[in-house]
Each structure stands twice: as C-alpha cells, then as structure tokens.
Amino acid sequence: LGIGLSPLLHDVPQFAMAFLCLSLIHQTGHYLSLRHVPLTRFNRHRLHLVLDPSCVVVVEANNNNNQGELLPLLSPQDVAARENYLPWYTKPDQTHEWLTIGSDVAALGGPDRVLDLLEERKDEENYIAVTAKTATGGSVSPNDETTTTTTTTTKKQQQQQQHRIQLVFMENATSVDCIRGMLFAHLLHYGVDREEARHRIDNEFPTFLDELQRVGWNIDSVNIEPGDAIRLSLEL
C-alpha cells in the first residue's frame, strides 16, 4: 500500500501524513490480531491479569468472613481479550504504582533488614517481599522552583510510596518461584496479612499451579523481571 501511494506523494508533509496513517492502520491491525491469538507464556502483565481477580475474591471473602478461593483462573483466551498491546501504553497496568521487582539491598531496608527477611522466609520461598517507602525523585535544590513543583507528591502518591512492595528473587529462583512470589506480592498489596498469605500459598499453591496448566498456561517459562532486576545470592 505504501509503495502504491508513493507516486502520489510530492512533499514532506504528504509523506509524513501518509506514514502516520499507514502506521496507525498497521498498529491497529496488529492489536486486533493479537487479541485473537492467546499467548500461553507469562510476562508481568499477563500474570497480573490472572492473579488480580483471584486475590480480589480472596479479600472480599475475608471481609465477609468466608473462605475465598484463588480459583477459578482466567485462561490465555480470557487474558488475550484483556491484554494491552498498544505501543503508546508505556504501563499496561497499575502494578508499576505499587510493585518493584528486582530491587537493590538499599530499597529493601539495608543489609540487616535483608538478613532478617532471609532468616524469616521458608525454604520453598525463593524470594523476599517487603513493603517499604520509596523516593520518587532525586535531591531538590531549594532555589529550583520547577524541580520543587515536579517532585511535589499528592496524598495518593504518598500512600503509594508507603505501600510499595519490593519483590526480589533468589539467584536460583525458577519460573514457578516467580509465579509464587508474584502471588504473595499481590496478596500483600490487597492487605492480606503476611502469615495468612503464606498459609494460603502453602495450602493452595499446588492446586493453583495445576489449574494454571489445566486452563492452558505454560508455567515453565515466566518472564516478569525487568532487564536491570537484581537477584540475591547467599554465600555460606
């Protein structure tokens, strides 16, 4: 189509408009086609789409003094209809507001806090998760009104900072560990007590994994960590 239109274009503005229109058509077609092609491997966004409604059910059940279950789960077909593919969506969901994966030791509270978390975790937990305050920007000059304005946080942003969850995986963490860690982080985000979250995962995670596979998910290849994520290693 572009080659066919090229003889009709005679100046830069026409080329620019044609490029934008053709790009929009291409991206729209790509978006619509992907919504009908379910992807069975988890990235951060797809895993969030599966975990989020299940954790909401658990929290609502707790509020009503019921025993909510993590099941049923969304299938790859269900997620494909909900997934954001559009390139101008830099953040496809809200997890960037409350979850950081692969934080450094300082963000976790320092070496002593990390050692406490490592001692606290169970053998099957190849991750640590902590709720910690985070900074939104660098140092602010008292004479720089522009910087002061841009780094002023709203009450909502302050609450998000105070409840941001730092999730870090151990060096030998597997794809299953990544799913387990994300489930733990989501439960914490929705206000489930740490011990209750652990208890639920201990009791329900094997069935949860079986259900993921039953509805069509590949749990052997999970990519939820950013390229600069840090993993922890223990030297005995």
Side-chain angles (χ1 to χ4, degrees):
L1 182 57
I3 295 174
L5 289 174
S6 58
L8 305 177
L9 306 176
H10 304 292
D11 53 31
V12 174
Q14 289 181 338
F15 273 105
M17 288 298 298
F19 173 77
L20 291 175
C21 292
L22 292 175
S23 295
L24 179 61
I25 293 172
H26 170 75
Q27 293 294 346
T28 301
H30 182 65
Y31 169 70
L32 294 174
S33 65
L34 285 176
R35 286 177 65 90
H36 294 86
V37 180
L39 303 176
T40 61
R41 298 178 185 273
F42 281 125
N43 60 13
R44 174 169 171 163
H45 180 47
R46 290 182 210 113
L47 186 53
H48 165 72
L49 291 176
V50 171
L51 295 178
D52 192 63
S54 297
C55 292
V56 170
V57 169
V58 168
V59 173
E60 290 178 348
N62 285 350
N63 292 338
N64 296 321
N65 297 319
N66 296 325
Q67 183 68 24
E69 295 184 351
L70 293 169
L71 307 178
L73 301 175
L74 296 179
S75 69
Q77 290 79 7
D78 298 326
V79 169
R82 294 167 169 80
E83 190 171 1
N84 284 327
Y85 299 99
L86 298 180
W88 46 85
Y89 273 73
T90 56
K91 303 294 183 183
D93 54 54
Q94 298 301 311
T95 58
H96 71 280
E97 296 181 356
W98 58 267
L99 177 64
T100 300
I101 300 177
S103 307
D104 58 21
V105 172
L108 295 171
D112 292 339
R113 176 58 174 155
V114 171
L115 289 175
D116 291 340
L117 291 168
L118 290 174
E119 291 178 0
E120 173 189 314
R121 72 186 181 94
K122 298 182 179 181
D123 290 340
E124 62 272 19
E125 295 177 355
N126 277 329
Y127 55 85
I128 57 176
V130 61
T131 303
K133 292 184 180 180
T134 58
T136 57
S139 60
V140 180
S141 170
N143 297 322
D144 191 341
E145 295 182 359
T146 302
T147 306
T148 301
T149 301
T150 57
T151 56
T152 299
T153 57
T154 64
K155 183 177 180 181
K156 179 180 178 181
Q157 289 173 324
Q158 291 172 347
Q159 292 174 343
Q160 290 170 350
Q161 293 168 21
Q162 293 172 358
H163 296 91
R164 176 170 286 277
I165 295 172
Q166 312 285 346
L167 176 64
V168 183
F169 294 98
M170 305 303 295
E171 189 175 36
N172 62 338
T174 65
S175 292
V176 170
D177 294 323
C178 290
I179 297 173
R180 184 181 180 121
M182 279 287 281
L183 175 57
F184 185 63
H186 275 70
L187 289 172
L188 293 181
H189 170 64
Y190 280 108
V192 178
D193 179 79
R194 292 180 70 89
E195 291 307 314
E196 181 184 351
R198 280 197 169 101
H199 178 71
R200 274 194 171 276
I201 292 175
D202 287 344
N203 291 336
E204 300 180 36
F205 192 65
T207 304
F208 183 83
L209 282 181
D210 290 341
E211 181 67 7
L212 284 177
Q213 293 178 293
R214 188 191 69 78
V215 299
W217 290 107
N218 180 350
I219 64 172
D220 296 322
S221 179
V222 177
N223 182 21
I224 62 170
E225 297 170 276
D228 59 350
I230 294 174
R231 285 197 171 196
L232 297 176
S233 62
L234 289 177
E235 295 183 5
L236 303 177

